Amino acid sequence: MSTTVRAAAKINLHLGVGAPREDGFHPLDTVYQAISLYDDVTVAEAEEDSLSVAGSPYIDVRDVPGDASNIAVRALAEAACRSPHHVRITKQIPVAGGMAGGSADAAAALLAHDRLHGLAQPDEVLLAQAARLGSDVPFSLVGGTARGRGRGEVVEPVTDRGSWWWVVVPAGTGLSTPDVYRHFDRLHPDAPAQPAEPTGLLAALASREPVRLARTLHNDLQESAIDLRPELGALIERGEAEGALRGMVSGSGPTCVFLCDSQEGAMAVMAALSASYDVVLPAVGPVAGAHVVEVL
């Protein structure tokens, strides 16, 4: 028997970062949005634990761990059943791109395992398991648009009746999240203990007006990512010159995302950027969190 769960990429519409806490983590106040780029994770009963990873034509999976260190495999260690499993991951979310692809895989594995074995664990149990795996994993379960606080793992859904069109441009090589945070600390030694709140952005989401949302997009890590990879700044300038309402680094980068005024606007920006960049993808948000797509 096997169960396949689909989980979406995330972007941060707002990412406020505070000074490091005593435990080394940075307090966050963020607004996540799940967008229509997906990984599929299949969990199957097996005679021994194993893992396989495949990518779509534009996703290089060579840097995805192929052993027990993979977060999707570690997710099964959080589960109630300890029987052997085969985990198969099919990736469409950019690897090491600031879009929580690993977190999506972990969330999908948790849900797939739960449904495979008929555990029907309450949402709060799955969310607690997810939080132990990583800051973005609870949101990958919830999906939609949500506010994250703490390390990002305390998730509260946000009402969002908009349909927001994005153009996504992954980078050829990843960017280490710890490196970006360390550089943020160097650039901002006097960062406030509490991160900036997303008040204006939440109001913009309620308005359903793309121009208003564009004005309120915010990422405290963008300066650090661009300082480490200056070509990201050039990409953002290019995308905005081609008609995007606003471009920004996704999370800790290096993927860049561009908010457009409509589906037609996104297609036009995508076509323009495709002349210079190998991979340019359209996406819409918000979309659902982790959900079952196949049971065999």
Side-chain angles (χ1 to χ4, degrees), residues 54 56 96 122 146 197 233 277 279:
S56 64
E197 297 186 359
Y277 296 90
V279 180

Side-chain angles (χ1 to χ4, degrees), residues 259-287:
L259 177 64
C260 300
D261 60 1
S262 62
Q263 182 178 9
E264 293 76 13
M267 295 302 107
V269 171
M270 185 177 73
L273 292 178
S274 294
S276 302
Y277 296 90
D278 292 336
V279 180
V280 184
L281 306 169
V284 65
V287 298

Side-chain angles (χ1 to χ4, degrees), residues 96-120:
M99 303 189 79
S103 296
D105 297 345
L110 282 174
L111 184 61
H113 177 276
D114 181 87
R115 299 301 189 260
L116 175 67
H117 294 287
L119 301 177

Side-chain angles (χ1 to χ4, degrees), residues 49 76 101 120 129 202 206 288:
D49 289 326
L76 298 190
Q129 294 171 355
L202 294 174

Side-chain angles (χ1 to χ4, degrees), residues 24-275:
F25 288 104
H26 293 74
L28 304 179
D29 198 336
T30 187
V31 177
Y32 299 109
Q33 185 170 101
I35 64 171
S36 58
L37 298 176
Y38 302 98
D39 283 359
D40 286 351
V41 177
T42 300
V43 177
E45 296 175 315
E47 295 184 359
E48 60 181 12
D49 289 326
S50 56
L51 170 69
S52 59
V53 183
S56 64
Y58 58 84
I59 297 295
D60 185 347
V61 298
R62 285 177 295 180
D63 291 334
V64 177
D67 55 21
S69 67
N70 187 292
I71 191 171
V73 177
R74 290 191 284 115
L76 298 190
E78 292 287 341
C81 178
R82 295 291 189 268
S83 59
H85 299 90
H86 176 69
V87 178
R88 183 175 74 249
I89 302 172
T90 304
K91 297 195 67 65
Q92 292 184 336
I93 302 173
V95 177
M99 303 189 79
S103 296
D105 297 345
L110 282 174
L111 184 61
H113 177 276
D114 181 87
R115 299 301 189 260
L116 175 67
H117 294 287
L119 301 177
Q121 298 173 100
D123 290 347
E124 57 268 24
V125 172
L126 287 172
L127 287 168
Q129 294 171 355
R132 289 193 289 270
L133 289 162
S135 299
D136 292 335
V137 184
F139 173 72
S140 294
L141 281 173
V142 172
T145 303
R147 186 174 180 181
R149 282 174 275 195
R151 293 181 287 110
E153 84 284 7
V154 181
V155 177
E156 176 186 4
V158 168
T159 300
D160 180 2
R161 296 185 177 90
S163 186
W164 312 102
W165 281 92
W166 302 90
V167 171
V168 178
V169 185
T173 56
L175 184 57
S176 163
T177 296
D179 286 350
V180 174
Y181 273 99
R182 281 191 288 268
H183 198 50
F184 172 85
D185 292 338
R186 288 192 291 269
L187 293 175
H188 301 281
D190 299 320
Q194 295 302 316
E197 297 186 359
T199 306
L201 183 131
L202 294 174
L205 285 172
S207 76
R208 296 195 240 180
E209 297 177 8
V211 172
R212 186 173 176 185
L213 180 63
R215 291 174 181 152
T216 59
L217 297 175
H218 175 79
N219 182 358
D220 276 343
L221 294 181
Q222 179 163 303
E223 178 188 12
S224 305
I226 291 176
D227 204 42
L228 292 169
R229 297 273 290 273
E231 69 272 18
L232 302 181
L235 169 56
I236 290 171
E237 291 179 5
R238 171 75 183 279
E240 292 177 347
E242 296 292 355
L245 298 177
R246 180 82 180 276
M248 65 187 303
V249 173
S250 177
S252 59
T255 300
C256 290
V257 297
F258 298 88
L259 177 64
C260 300
D261 60 1
S262 62
Q263 182 178 9
E264 293 76 13
M267 295 302 107
V269 171
M270 185 177 73
L273 292 178
S274 294

